Structures are given as C-alpha cells and as structure tokens.
Amino acid sequence: MTLILLILLGAVAFFIVISGLVFFHELGHYSVARLFGVAVERFSIGFGKPIWRHRAKSGTEWVFASIPLGGYVKFLGDAGAASNPDSEQLAKIKADLDEKHGAGVSDSVFHFKPLWQRVLVVLAGPIANFILAAVIFTGFFMAYGKNDLITEVAEIMDDTPAQRSGLEVGDRILKMDGKDIRLFSEFRQYVILRSDQEIEVTVLRGEQQLDLSLTPMRIDKKDAIGGRSQLGYVGVRPANRADLQISKDLNMLQASSEGVAQVGRMIVGTGTYIKRIFTGKESGRELGGIVRIAAMTGKTAADGASQDVPVKERAKDIFQQLIYLAAALSIGLGVANLMPIPVLDGGHLLFYGYEAVAGRPLSQDKQEFGFRIGFALILGLFVILTWNDIGYVRSLF
C-alpha cells in the first residue's frame, strides 16, 4: 500500500477507536441517567459544528460533531462546569426551569436527584469503559482459549539481575513478594512494573523451597508496534516444555471470568504505575495522551495492512489487534476519568463526597475555584503527556 493510503487508514482507525471509546463512556452516563428519569438534552460524540443530528422521542438530540476527539452528555438544567450547584444556585436553576418548562419539570433534572443517584450516574461512565474491556477480553478468551506457561527458568542471561540474585536454571517461580505468581504472563507483568525495586522471590529448586531477592533493572525496549518503552527486566527465559504449557478452551462463563480478571489485573497495573510516579520510582514517561493513542492505533492498522497475506486475512488481523488495543485504552480512559481532579468524573465524586459528609453541597465559589485548579492541572498534564507522546512517536522511526 502507498504511504498516503496507510496514513489515511491509520487516521480512520484512530477516529473509529477513539469515537467508540467515548461513545461507550458517555452511554454509561446516559443509560443510568435515563434509568433514574433524568432528562437528557444532548448526547454528542465530538465537539464543534454538528455534521449529523437526530432528535429521539425522548427529546434527546443525538449528535455527531465535526471534531470527534471527545464527547459529552448534556442534562436538562446544566448551566455550567459545576457538577454540584449550591443551594442558592439550585433555587435559581429551579426558577428558570419552572418559568421555561412549567412547574414539576425539576423532577427530571439531574441536580435535584438524590445524591446516591447522582453518584451512580457519574460512576457509570468509567464503569462502562471497564465493562467494554471485559466484553472484549471475554470474546478473545472464547475465541482463543487460555494459553500460558508455568514459569520455570530455562536460561539466565549474563550480567543480569537474575544471575546476581542466585536464580538457577530449573528453578520454578512460586511467589513474588508473598503473592502466588506461577504463570509467565503474571511473572512478566510483575517484573516490568518494578524496576529498581527489590522483590522477594520464592522458588522451587528440586524438592526445596528457597527465598531469593531480585531487583529488576530498567531497560529501554521496543513494544509490539516498534515504540520504545522503559520497563523492568531480570534476564530469564522460561522453559517451553509440554508439561509446563497451559492451553485450554474456555466456555462463556470461564471466558467471562477470565475477561473480568484481566480487566482487574490491568487496573491494578495502572494503579501500581501511577503510585510509583508519586513515590518517585517512575518518571511518568510511559503515560501517553491523544497523540500516542493516534500513533498506536494508526501504526497498528498500517502494520496489519502492510502484511504480505490475502486481504481477508489482513482485515481480520487489523480488527483483532485494534479491538484488543481498544480494550486496553478503554481501561486507561476509565482509570483516568476516576482521578480526583475537578472537571473529571473523579472530581465530581470528590464534591459529592463532601456533600455526603457535610449534608450540603460545597459553596459555589469554592467549587468554581476547584474547577479552575482542575483545568490548570489538566492543562499541565496535557503538556506533559504531549511531550511524552512526541518522544514515543519519534522512537517509532
């Protein structure tokens, strides 16, 4: 394929993935809001001038806008950024609604719903992203089953943490920091998130259990699409004997269980990485924003399209890789939105937490100050992520 076609394919893949993730996130908010009888004025994918719109019988205007890099759900009575108007502002909103729509309309306004309902509406967006990821992973487990290796050391690289720790060929990993970690996928994930951090490892050597200390070193390594990432590395190669292989087909119930577990593992992994940033153990270089998402989705689609295989196989491979990437990004979107920063879902929940404890909303002035701080934090984070993204994109070439 020509370079121009590959670029166009990458751009289309990016917009499909990002729009799909935003759609499911906002659908979460919308669905739970409608469940509680909240009137929704607009459901928009993207910002800017609408290029398609449809008004449903419920009164909601469904919109696809010209800049598909986000989206929002606008509830009846929304007047600004504040997610939780104070008593004075609530009275004003009610008066304006009564004058415009007639008495009683406030019963369908988000701000006048019980606190627990508002909390669930806000939580529904991130939860929808986690559910989407679980559904995708479930599909993969149903299609391909579960394949892994019991971690037994087959080779130890020279001058690596594994060699210095006293690990030997034939050792079987049982635990790391007291946690059962016997599969190679678990071992690898645990190690890559703990560079320069001492890990207590329990191994089985013959008939004897031994405790060793292992400190992964930080290395710069290419990921699946060729971008460079920093991660923990110990220098072992696992044995690949038949008696160590786990390969089994899963029914829907088993696949669902594994899909949910995979989401849980990725959420925990993301939380571990963020915690390490705040404790000074990571630079945060691996965090990415919209530019990295565009690069990853675009490169994944372009690499798949460039394979020397029949078109049908190429299309199937592109779909499989993009849908798996979408699941991972969906989890990232859900976690990011739960951060306790005003303007994000987590910030709304922070204000609701205050209301639950104090018995009243935070004052409007304090909320507006919080939102200004939140916008400043988001802007600063955007600059940092964009800088990270530029470095990542450069590493692709």
Side-chain angles (χ1 to χ4, degrees), residues 43-357:
F43 185 115
S44 178
I45 298 299
F47 300 97
K49 185 177 180 180
I51 57 178
W52 176 87
R53 64 175 73 195
H54 169 73
R55 187 170 296 279
K57 292 181 180 180
S58 64
T60 302
E61 183 182 38
W62 294 76
V63 173
F64 194 87
S66 56
I67 308 175
L69 294 178
Y72 62 91
V73 171
K74 185 178 185 298
F75 300 127
L76 178 65
D78 282 354
S83 64
N84 197 20
D86 62 13
S87 300
E88 182 179 342
Q89 187 70 9
L90 283 172
K92 183 177 184 301
I93 291 173
K94 187 176 187 306
D96 290 343
L97 288 171
D98 288 346
E99 181 180 349
K100 185 176 180 179
H101 300 284
V105 72
S106 60
D107 291 341
S108 62
V109 173
F110 174 75
H111 298 307
F112 296 100
K113 292 296 180 179
L115 178 61
W116 67 272
Q117 293 186 5
R118 284 178 278 145
V119 167
L120 289 180
V121 170
V122 172
L123 274 174
I127 289 175
N129 286 123
F130 299 148
I131 291 174
L132 172 63
V135 169
I136 292 173
F137 289 139
T138 296
F140 269 83
F141 282 119
M142 288 186 66
Y144 305 110
K146 183 174 182 178
N147 301 281
D148 214 324
L149 284 171
I150 294 173
T151 307
E152 182 177 299
V153 178
E155 182 181 0
I156 298 175
M157 313 306 171
D158 291 335
D159 194 28
T160 60
Q163 186 182 59
R164 292 188 287 271
S165 72
L167 269 175
E168 295 181 2
V169 172
D171 285 350
R172 185 173 294 189
I173 307 296
L174 300 180
K175 295 183 179 182
M176 303 186 81
D177 291 330
K179 302 174 184 175
D180 285 334
I181 294 184
R182 304 183 182 222
L183 301 181
F184 186 66
S185 62
E186 300 170 342
F187 171 80
R188 180 176 52 196
Q189 185 67 21
Y190 202 85
V191 165
I192 66 175
L193 288 171
R194 288 165 177 83
S195 56
D196 302 322
Q197 177 180 327
E198 186 177 59
I199 301 172
E200 296 300 321
V201 183
T202 301
V203 303
L204 180 65
R205 183 176 297 170
E207 300 296 325
Q208 185 180 12
Q209 286 193 18
L210 300 174
D211 292 325
L212 306 172
S213 292
L214 178 66
T215 303
M217 62 191 291
R218 192 187 306 272
I219 64 167
D220 200 56
K221 187 177 181 181
K222 284 190 174 184
D223 60 22
I225 63 171
R228 303 203 72 86
S229 301
Q230 291 187 344
L231 42 80
Y233 171 78
V234 296
V236 301
R237 182 175 63 81
N240 194 20
R241 298 195 314 271
D243 62 307
L244 298 175
Q245 294 176 357
I246 295 176
S247 181
K248 60 180 180 179
D249 295 330
L250 302 179
N251 59 36
M252 187 170 183
L253 183 60
Q254 293 169 325
S256 298
S257 177
E258 286 292 337
V260 172
Q262 178 72 356
V263 171
R265 286 190 291 267
M266 295 185 75
I267 291 174
V268 170
T270 303
T272 298
Y273 185 76
I274 293 173
K275 179 182 177 181
R276 285 173 58 84
I277 292 174
F278 282 102
T279 55
K281 296 176 181 177
E282 295 285 352
S283 65
R285 174 181 157 181
E286 305 312 314
L287 293 178
I290 197 71
V291 176
R292 184 177 298 207
I293 294 174
M296 293 175 72
T297 53
K299 186 73 162 47
T300 298
D303 286 350
S306 300
Q307 295 181 90
D308 188 19
V309 296
V311 174
K312 186 176 181 179
E313 289 186 30
R314 272 185 276 178
K316 180 181 178 181
D317 188 59
I318 291 172
F319 174 77
Q320 289 175 343
Q321 292 190 51
L322 283 179
I323 198 71
Y324 196 91
L325 177 61
L329 293 174
S330 189
I331 292 171
L333 179 62
V335 171
N337 269 280
L338 286 175
M339 294 177 66
I341 299 175
V343 313
L344 298 179
D345 293 334
H348 298 317
L349 295 173
L350 190 65
F351 287 157
Y352 292 150
Y354 173 87
E355 182 178 351
V357 174

